[in-house]
Amino acid sequence: MADKSQHEDKLLEHEYDGIREYDNPMPRWWLWTFYATILFVPLYYLLPHPFGEGDGNVAEYEASVAAARAAMPEQVAPTVTDEQLVALQGDRAVLAEGKAVYETNCAACHRADGGGLIGPNLTDDAWIHGGSPTQIHHTIAVGVLAKGMPPWERLLRPEQVNAVTAYVLSLVGTNPPNPKPPEGPAPATGT
Ligand code: HEC
């Protein structure tokens, strides 16, 4: 501990609202603790990796993420493929769920029959954001906020997004009456 009698308390010149300040040295115990933390840095950096045990923090983090994914796959937004989305169209239960999701959340903007209203026609071949099953899934999941299409992955469960994508795919080619004119490029080669 610093001995008070070894030095005079030195008052600094300035004064703010009657508050004045000493310019005393930091206590020695404080300084030594500070130097010790600096010395600890290289040890802390080098010991776990590459000299010490284990694979290092990054590898440990990645391993625990992989373990968590394996333990609860349903918690992690699954990546879907074109084939899986097309296959879902053959599943009546999924289509029924997709229809229910669509009627509750999408019909107001895209019309119950998909013919388009505020949002574009979903029954034609023309797509602003791409017409492959995964592209349509992506548009539904992340939305187009600037144009008023909400990001549905925040509001629906991943299975519901998949189901409503399958339902939208099933609407393509249904030719509802009074559709909104096509928007966006149609596929170069006919489907
Ligand atoms: C508040 C209105 C609104 C709601 C609700 C809405 N959409 Fe949209 N949607 C839009 C608008 C507007 C666009 C056009 C975005 C653009 O011009 O880039 C769009 C675009 C899309 C597209 C892309 C069309 C293309 O040509 O690429 C799909 C697919 C789609 N919506 C599906 C859905 C589904 C499925 C739901 C319900 C889960 C839904 N939308 C709900 C307004 C809406």
Side-chain angles (χ1 to χ4, degrees):
M1 286 280 172
D3 186 349
K4 275 261 162 141
S5 63
Q6 278 177 6
H7 62 81
E8 293 271 301
D9 282 339
K10 188 179 161 213
L11 261 182
L12 290 177
E13 290 291 308
H14 54 234
E15 174 179 339
Y16 297 112
D17 296 337
I19 297 169
R20 306 206 57 192
E21 198 186 349
Y22 285 129
D23 185 21
N24 290 335
M26 304 296 287
R28 207 149 291 161
W29 64 266
W30 192 97
L31 284 175
W32 282 119
T33 316
F34 178 58
Y35 297 144
T37 62
I38 294 175
L39 289 176
F40 183 67
V41 167
L43 294 176
Y44 183 76
Y45 184 75
L46 291 175
L47 271 187
H49 184 78
F51 298 142
E53 308 218 334
D55 301 321
N57 296 338
V58 174
E60 262 171 41
Y61 168 77
E62 270 159 14
S64 67
V65 169
R69 261 176 220 229
M72 5 179 207
E74 73 282 2
Q75 302 289 320
V76 184
T79 47
V80 277
T81 62
D82 282 342
E83 292 72 30
Q84 284 168 331
L85 288 169
V86 169
L88 283 183
Q89 277 185 81
D91 187 326
R92 277 165 182 275
V94 170
L95 273 192
E97 188 190 3
K99 185 170 199 265
V101 171
Y102 183 90
E103 279 166 0
T104 318
N105 301 288
C106 324
C109 288
H110 292 281
R111 233 169 69 177
D113 59 13
L117 200 65
I118 298 163
N121 185 340
L122 300 176
T123 65
D124 57 23
D125 272 351
W127 298 95
I128 304 167
H129 300 283
S132 79
T134 41
Q135 285 170 323
I136 294 173
H137 179 271
H138 182 258
T139 312
I140 296 171
V142 303
V144 192
L145 259 190
K147 298 288 178 61
M149 164 71 179
W152 291 101
E153 69 184 355
R154 307 232 190 104
L155 305 155
L156 302 173
R157 284 180 283 110
E159 313 85 72
Q160 292 179 304
V161 176
N162 292 350
V164 80
T165 305
Y167 183 68
V168 167
L169 291 172
S170 78
L171 292 177
V172 176
T174 51
N175 293 317
N178 305 318
K180 224 181 157 187
E183 291 167 76
T189 49
T191 38

